[in-house]
């Protein structure tokens, strides 16, 4: 593995300044390094700045304090090398499922037929076959989320920033999607930063889990969670259960703090 | 993954939806035009009752006869055509100009600095008050009439465009940027489509406004057109001609608004509102 991390976040802070109302310190001194092909999960109480951190890495919000580099270059603007799956999907409501997914592919130099094929592949992958021509307003929450997932996977970014990408899915679909994500990650060289509230999901998917503190967000601890994903009995193995329990306690402490601090 | 979500076709009957009975359809169709029918019957009844002289209130049937004879002589086509032509040209200029100014204001601080006070002061003003100025500068022909229409109808378009663009969700823009959209693509492929519902609402205000101002301008400036013809009829104490004008204006206005709302449904097929049953 290369010594230089692919994503280097160094003492980053972020303040939201709403036009009316007081400024909000969302992140304070976040530092995190992610290696190429690594799968890192972010856990933390609601409002601790997980989405904000992804927006900063994605280049959607300006880095005002500290620095974020991707492949050694400071992040300045959004780009298709860092694909994001938004927490609230951000689908284009005037485009059908197929056209939403095609949007990222249209800017790639590939023949039209191949583009369509690629789109169809990901539509089938997320189980939306038969709904290609539906508009987002005609889909359920889980279907919208799967469309958003397919849209980002389709343009094949080398870095995936995923903001609770399975949050709206039922348990069964969630398991299927987790397996798909893992197999894509194992087949193609991708670095993943994955925000979730589900501790078990984090331990199962990630190589490392970063636990964030209540707002203003900092990285509280980073826990190694490398398990053999092919092992069918992993969810019941002692090591796995203990890791989940350990992380659960860390997250709960922060959630209680966040609760107390709330006005 | 299996197509668990796809509908199986043995639910055909369910997919058809409930079929309203014919009687229900007729009743509903009648209910929707009831108030208009009541007005028509009342008009005809009052006019025939003898309570008013035909000069004060000519009967609807005699007014329709008059419209018919105007239609045969070709007068109706000329007047209606001219009014609709002026209203539509004014509307189209307002649409293009209003959207352009709205876009410019949302993107460019100088454009915003320049136009914002004009919109704030101008929108609530009765623009028809500029008519004497327009007549002084441009005369009383089409250019003047269309100008006063634009001066009136452009404001709701600017305001709607500006608000619509400002309220486009930032995540939609980020999402497009993430997939590599440049500035131009962002404007044409994302911002304007996302703003379309509100812009269309602005246009739906501007269209009847164009029609109203067209008729009023014709009344005040004279010449051919529905408004001009009504003033001429009034001057010659031709009361059937005056009422014929009112009926014609009502019909033309209704057709224009209906066409606009059909266009809206077509354009916004993707919108939540298109999934709901029609009410109009
Ligand atoms: N546009 C904004 N303006 C002002 N404050 C904001 C804005 N967006 C987020 N915040 C604040 O920043 C903090 C972090 O928000 P963020 O969305 O990153 O949290 P999160 O960890 O993703 O939470 P969740 O798990 O609920 O999605 C929150 O406390 C929120 O109040
Ligand atoms: Mg969030």
């Amino acid at each position: 593995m290369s010594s230089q991390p692919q994503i280097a976040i160094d003492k980053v802070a972020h303040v939201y300044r709403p036009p009316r109302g007081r400024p909000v310190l969302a992140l304070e001194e976040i530092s995190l390094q992610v290696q190429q092909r690594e799968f890192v999960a972010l856990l933390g109480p609601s409002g601790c700045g997980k989405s904000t951190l992804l927006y900063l890495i994605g280049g959607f919000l300006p880095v005002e304090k500290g620095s974020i580099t991707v492949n050694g270059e400071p992040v300045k603007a959004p780009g298709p090398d860092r694909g994001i799956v938004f927490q609230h999907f951000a689908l284009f409501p005037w485009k059908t499922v197929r056209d939403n997914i095609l949007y990222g592919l249209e800017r790639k130099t590939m023949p039209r037929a191949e583009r369509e094929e690629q789109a169809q592949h990901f539509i089938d992958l997320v189980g939306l076959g038969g709904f290609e021509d539906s508009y987002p307003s005609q889909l359920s929450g889980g279907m919208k989320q799967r469309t958003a997932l397919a849209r980002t996977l389709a343009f094949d970014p080398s870095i995936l920033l995923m903001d609770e990408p399975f949050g709206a899915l039922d348990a069964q679909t969630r398991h299927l999607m987790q397996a798909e994500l893992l197999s894509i990650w194992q087949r193609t060289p991708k670095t993943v930063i994955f925000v979730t509230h589900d501790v078990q999901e984090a331990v199962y998917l990630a190589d490392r889990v970063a636990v964030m503190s209540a707002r203003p967000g900092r990285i509280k601890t980073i826990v190694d969670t490398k398990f053999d994903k092919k092992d069918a009995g992993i969810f019941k193995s002692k090591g796995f259960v203990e890791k989940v329990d350990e992380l659960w306690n860390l997250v709960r402490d922060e959630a209680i703090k966040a609760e107390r601090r709330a006005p | 993954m299996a197509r668990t979500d796809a509908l199986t076709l043995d639910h055909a009957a369910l997919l058809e939806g409930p079929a309203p009975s014919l009687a229900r359809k007729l009743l509903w169709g009648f209910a929707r035009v009831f108030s208009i029918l009541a007005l028509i019957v009342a008009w005809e009844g009052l006019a025939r009752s003898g309570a008013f002289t035909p000069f004060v209130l000519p009967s609807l049937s005699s007014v329709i006869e008059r419209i018919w004879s105007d239609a045969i002589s070709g007068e109706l086509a000329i007047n209606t055509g001219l009014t609709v032509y002026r209203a539509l040209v004014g509307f189209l200029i307002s649409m293009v100009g209003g959207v352009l100014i709205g876009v410019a204001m949302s993107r460019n601080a100088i454009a915003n600095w320049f136009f914002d006070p004009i919109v704030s002061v101008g929108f609530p003003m009765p623009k028809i008050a500029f008519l004497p100025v327009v007549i002084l500068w441009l005369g009383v022909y089409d250019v003047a009439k269309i100008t006063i229409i634009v001066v009136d109808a452009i404001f709701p378009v600017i305001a709607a465009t500006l608000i619509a663009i400002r309220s486009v969700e930032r995540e939609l823009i980020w999402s497009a940027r993430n997939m590599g959209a440049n500035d131009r693509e962002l404007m044409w492929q994302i911002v304007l489509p996302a703003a379309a519902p509100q812009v269309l609402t602005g246009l739906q205000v501007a269209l009847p406004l164009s029609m109203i101002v067209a008729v009023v301008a014709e009344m005040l400036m004279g010449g051919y057109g529905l408004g001009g013809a009504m003033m001429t009829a009034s001057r010659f104490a031709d009361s059937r001609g005056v009422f014929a004008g009112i009926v014609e204006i009502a019909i033309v206005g209704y057709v224009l608004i209906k066409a606009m709302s059909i266009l809206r449904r077509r354009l916004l097929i993707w919108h939540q509102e298109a999934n709901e049953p029609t009410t109009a």
Side-chain angles (χ1 to χ4, degrees):
Chain A
M1 198 152 269
S2 60
S3 56
Q4 189 204 31
Q6 186 173 28
I7 304 170
I9 302 162
D10 188 37
K11 298 202 187 71
V12 165
H14 189 80
V15 179
Y16 283 105
R17 292 185 193 83
R20 268 174 289 276
R22 288 193 289 141
V24 180
L25 180 62
L27 293 174
E28 187 185 43
E29 284 237 327
I30 288 269
S31 296
L32 179 69
Q33 307 203 325
V34 182
Q35 302 297 329
Q36 193 138 25
R37 299 209 67 162
E38 203 180 7
F39 198 128
V40 173
L42 277 183
L43 278 177
S46 179
C48 75
K50 302 180 296 296
S51 299
T52 306
L53 183 58
L54 291 195
Y55 296 159
L56 287 165
I57 302 169
F60 307 114
L61 294 175
V63 181
E64 286 166 349
K65 195 144 176 291
S67 79
I68 298 181
T69 59
V70 171
N71 297 322
E73 294 280 319
V75 167
K76 288 210 190 72
D81 57 324
R82 285 152 288 146
I84 188 163
V85 181
F86 287 100
Q87 186 172 3
H88 304 292
F89 324 137
L91 297 173
F92 305 128
W94 58 93
K95 287 181 184 284
T96 60
V97 167
R98 183 189 288 110
D99 289 343
N100 261 283
I101 294 170
L102 278 170
Y103 193 78
L105 295 167
E106 274 161 16
R107 259 152 287 274
K108 298 204 157 198
T109 44
M110 58 164 89
R112 194 193 166 87
E114 193 185 329
R115 231 183 276 154
E116 307 259 335
E117 200 180 308
Q118 188 84 338
Q120 193 60 47
H121 168 74
F122 282 98
I123 289 170
D124 291 336
L125 185 85
V126 298
L128 282 177
F131 291 92
E132 292 88 347
D133 297 318
S134 299
Y135 290 98
S137 66
Q138 300 162 334
L139 302 177
S140 74
M143 291 159 84
K144 283 182 202 157
Q145 186 152 50
R146 283 181 277 153
T147 308
L149 201 62
R151 182 174 67 171
T152 305
L153 291 174
F155 68 87
D156 195 28
S158 62
I159 296 172
L160 276 173
L161 307 170
M162 310 181 87
D163 201 348
E164 300 184 37
F166 305 149
L169 304 182
D170 60 278
Q172 225 162 321
T173 316
R174 199 176 175 122
H175 277 301
L176 286 169
M177 291 294 111
Q178 287 171 351
E180 287 297 351
L181 178 61
L182 273 184
S183 97
I184 289 173
W185 175 64
Q186 278 154 353
R187 269 183 288 133
T188 55
K190 284 193 198 306
T191 308
V192 184
I193 300 185
F194 187 99
V195 172
T196 178
H197 283 289
D198 181 340
V199 178
Q200 187 175 326
E201 177 174 78
V203 176
Y204 172 57
L205 292 175
D207 298 326
R208 287 192 297 154
V209 177
V211 180
M212 288 176 68
S213 66
R215 186 171 63 84
R218 287 163 168 270
I219 303 286
K220 186 178 164 181
T221 14
I222 298 179
V223 178
D224 270 307
T225 52
K226 266 212 164 83
F227 287 94
D228 179 13
K229 327 270 188 217
K230 296 216 174 70
D231 177 6
I234 176 183
F235 290 104
K236 289 186 190 116
S237 73
K238 187 150 173 289
F240 186 86
V241 174
E242 277 174 6
K243 271 282 188 277
V244 172
D245 195 50
E246 177 192 342
L247 278 162
W248 228 109
N249 288 326
L250 288 168
V251 174
R252 198 190 43 200
D253 289 350
E254 287 308 319
I256 292 169
K257 270 189 220 161
E259 191 110 300
R260 282 219 195 98
R261 214 171 298 168
Chain B
M1 200 180 138
R3 299 187 169 188
T4 44
D5 294 322
L7 286 159
T8 44
L9 278 174
D10 43 324
H11 294 116
L14 200 61
L15 293 176
E16 283 292 310
S21 69
L22 186 66
R24 221 190 158 87
K25 268 194 210 160
L26 282 177
L27 203 68
W28 185 231
F30 175 74
R32 269 167 39 173
V33 292
F34 176 79
S35 48
I36 297 288
L37 286 179
L39 203 67
I40 287 173
V41 170
W43 178 356
E44 190 70 18
L46 270 179
R48 285 175 184 236
S49 70
F52 301 96
T53 59
F55 178 75
V56 174
L57 186 68
S59 72
L60 177 61
S61 43
S62 67
V63 170
I64 289 172
E65 254 170 57
R66 168 59 178 271
I67 295 176
W68 182 244
S69 71
D70 281 352
I72 288 171
S73 73
E75 199 120 325
L76 179 66
I78 291 175
N79 286 328
T80 314
L82 272 174
T83 303
V84 170
Y85 156 76
R86 288 166 186 147
L88 283 185
V89 171
F91 170 73
L92 288 176
I93 294 174
S94 304
M95 175 172 92
V96 175
V99 169
L100 284 179
I101 292 175
V103 167
M105 284 175 74
S106 74
R107 296 187 45 142
N108 184 301
I110 295 173
N112 191 44
W113 164 82
F114 182 77
F115 284 109
D116 189 59
I118 298 181
V119 174
S120 306
V121 175
F123 202 172
M125 247 179 112
K127 266 78 66 183
I128 198 76
F130 286 110
L131 199 69
V133 182
V134 172
I135 293 175
L136 272 182
W137 289 353
L138 299 171
V140 293
Y141 297 106
D142 275 1
V143 176
K145 284 168 181 155
I146 291 170
T147 300
I148 192 76
I149 293 172
V150 172
V151 165
D152 232 299
I154 200 166
F155 283 95
V157 184
I158 298 176
T161 306
L162 195 58
I163 293 170
I165 290 181
R166 283 192 181 151
S167 56
V168 174
E169 265 181 80
R170 64 175 191 177
E171 285 195 359
L172 283 188
I173 292 172
W174 289 357
S175 190
R177 281 263 188 244
N178 191 224
M179 290 186 267
N182 60 31
D183 280 355
R184 265 189 54 171
E185 289 169 329
L186 201 66
M187 185 42 84
W188 286 102
Q189 298 172 352
I190 308 300
V191 173
L192 286 179
Q198 271 172 292
V199 173
L200 274 167
T201 305
L203 294 180
Q204 280 175 303
V205 174
L207 182 62
L209 205 56
S210 303
M211 186 66 198
I212 292 167
V213 178
V215 170
V216 172
E218 284 168 356
M219 284 179 166
L220 295 173
M221 293 173 166
Y224 280 102
L226 291 177
M230 276 177 77
M231 284 315 272
T232 310
S234 176
R235 219 165 277 140
F236 286 91
D238 169 13
S239 86
R240 283 208 282 161
V242 171
F243 278 88
I246 287 177
V247 171
E248 287 155 13
I249 289 167
I251 292 172
V252 170
Y254 176 79
V255 169
L256 284 180
I257 286 177
K258 200 74 192 168
M260 189 73 192
S261 82
I262 290 172
L263 190 70
R264 181 190 180 95
R265 290 190 81 80
R266 280 276 163 85
L267 287 174
L268 298 187
I269 193 82
W270 51 273
H271 203 261
Q272 190 69 51
E273 68 185 33
N275 296 335
E276 272 134 37
T278 40
T279 49

